């Protein structure tokens, strides 16, 4: 079974703080993705990576950066958190076919 | 502009009846379509998929139909069960750099009443 874990289920941060969200997968998948889910807006792709040290912007990369130093770990960084980044953040992983495996999500609140 | 549209934010169905969830897309380059199911406080899980070379794929109670000319796909759940109550996301993907990058719809919340 694919396991995708995220460092926190719930996180509360203050405006301007630097926030790290970590995702780890144990299935040796090449591709990893970060999404945010907001009510009425579905899943929106922030960044993805298809290899170590490789990253590609998704649909809404502004205000975010990512890091992939090891194949199993993909980090999402909010350089200076803002209230409009309050959201559910979902990490996903996938091989070279289409199916994605999602982590449980991190509910981030920025005050 | 949305490339994948789920025009019904919610759907309510009686247990035992058929649930039909619809999805429309605009990009004719999409060649693979997937449905994911999401319970509250959990990540989405893959449900069923279909390639653009097919018009139907069935897995137990779940069937996905694809109408390429209409750029429309639908998910049928028969019979519906209360445990099917969840948010369903339609996704469509194109190959990009050897991988497939999906575009998700906004989701349809299905409620199955006992």
């Amino acid at each position: 079974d694919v396991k995708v874990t995220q460092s926190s289920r719930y996180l509360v941060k203050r405006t301007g703080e630097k926030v790290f969200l970590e995702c780890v997968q144990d299935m040796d998948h090449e591709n990893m993705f970060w999404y945010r889910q907001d009510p009425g807006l579905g899943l929106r792709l922030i960044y993805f990576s298809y290899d170590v040290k490789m990253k590609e912007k998704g649909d809404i990369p502004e205000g975010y950066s990512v890091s992939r130093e090891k194949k199993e770990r993909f980090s999402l960084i909010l350089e200076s958190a803002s209230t409009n980044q309050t959201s559910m953040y979902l990490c996903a992983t996938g091989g070279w076919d289409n199916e994605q495996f999602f982590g449980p999500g991190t509910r981030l609140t920025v005050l | 502009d949305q490339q994948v549209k789920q025009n019904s934010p919610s759907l309510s169905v009686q247990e035992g009846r058929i649930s039909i969830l619809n999805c429309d897309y605009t990009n004719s380059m999409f060649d693979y379509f997937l449905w994911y199911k999401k319970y509250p406080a959990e990540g989405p899980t893959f449900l069923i998929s279909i390639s653009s070379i097919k018009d139907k794929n069935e897995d137990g109670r779940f069937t996905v139909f694809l109408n390429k000319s209409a750029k429309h796909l639908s998910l049928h759940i028969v019979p519906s069960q209360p445990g099917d109550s969840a948010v369903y996301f339609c996704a469509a993907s194109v190959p990009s750099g050897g991988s497939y990058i999906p575009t998700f719809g906004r989701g349809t919340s299905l409620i199955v009443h006992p």
Side-chain angles (χ1 to χ4, degrees):
Chain A
D1 257 4
V2 176
K3 193 162 184 184
V4 182
T5 57
Q6 295 185 227
S7 49
S8 306
R9 293 300 301 269
Y10 299 94
L11 209 52
V12 179
K13 295 291 181 180
R14 298 218 172 265
T15 301
E17 279 193 81
K18 191 168 186 175
V19 182
F20 291 88
L21 302 181
E22 292 212 311
C23 176
V24 179
Q25 53 109 351
D26 67 357
M27 284 301 292
D28 202 34
H29 281 167
E30 294 85 0
N31 305 318
M32 297 189 76
F33 306 80
W34 274 106
Y35 295 89
R36 62 178 283 177
Q37 183 198 0
D38 300 288
L41 295 180
L43 298 171
R44 293 181 292 168
L45 182 63
I46 305 171
Y47 267 96
F48 65 98
S49 167
Y50 47 82
D51 202 352
V52 174
K53 297 194 186 294
M54 301 295 287
K55 60 185 178 184
E56 294 285 343
K57 292 179 180 179
D59 299 318
I60 52 164
E62 296 78 18
Y64 303 95
S65 61
V66 290
S67 172
R68 192 160 181 207
E69 296 297 317
K70 294 184 177 181
K71 189 174 186 178
E72 66 270 20
R73 191 179 296 268
F74 192 35
S75 301
L76 180 69
I77 303 152
L78 287 66
E79 295 290 341
S80 177
S82 63
T83 54
N84 63 12
Q85 292 179 308
T86 291
S87 186
M88 168 71 84
Y89 289 88
L90 291 159
C91 173
T93 183
W96 293 107
D97 59 14
N98 271 276
E99 182 183 344
Q100 291 188 330
F101 300 87
F102 285 84
T106 296
R107 171 75 62 186
L108 172 67
T109 302
V110 182
L111 302 175
Chain B
D1 193 27
Q2 290 183 76
Q3 295 189 69
V4 178
K5 296 181 184 178
Q6 294 178 257
N7 291 318
S8 299
S10 63
L11 177 67
S12 183
V13 171
Q14 200 73 26
E15 181 179 7
R17 301 285 189 121
I18 185 171
S19 295
I20 300 176
L21 294 93
N22 294 304
C23 180
D24 297 293
Y25 61 95
T26 57
N27 187 348
S28 57
M29 298 300 291
F30 288 139
D31 67 355
Y32 207 83
F33 304 89
L34 309 96
W35 285 94
Y36 288 84
K37 175 180 179 179
K38 185 181 185 300
Y39 292 118
E42 293 184 15
T45 54
F46 170 76
L47 191 58
I48 193 169
S49 63
I50 187 166
S51 164
S52 60
I53 63 172
K54 295 187 174 182
D55 54 18
K56 178 182 174 182
N57 188 25
E58 194 171 349
D59 183 2
R61 296 186 298 114
F62 303 92
T63 303
V64 56
F65 296 92
L66 175 63
N67 182 334
K68 286 192 295 292
S69 60
K71 294 191 177 69
H72 176 84
L73 66 155
S74 60
L75 174 68
H76 293 212
I77 306 173
V78 181
S80 301
Q81 299 173 355
D84 295 330
S85 298
V87 176
Y88 289 79
F89 290 101
C90 169
S93 59
V94 292
S96 174
S99 184
Y100 284 86
I101 307 303
T103 299
F104 286 85
R106 295 185 175 183
T108 296
S109 177
L110 173 65
I111 299 171
V112 180
H113 297 283

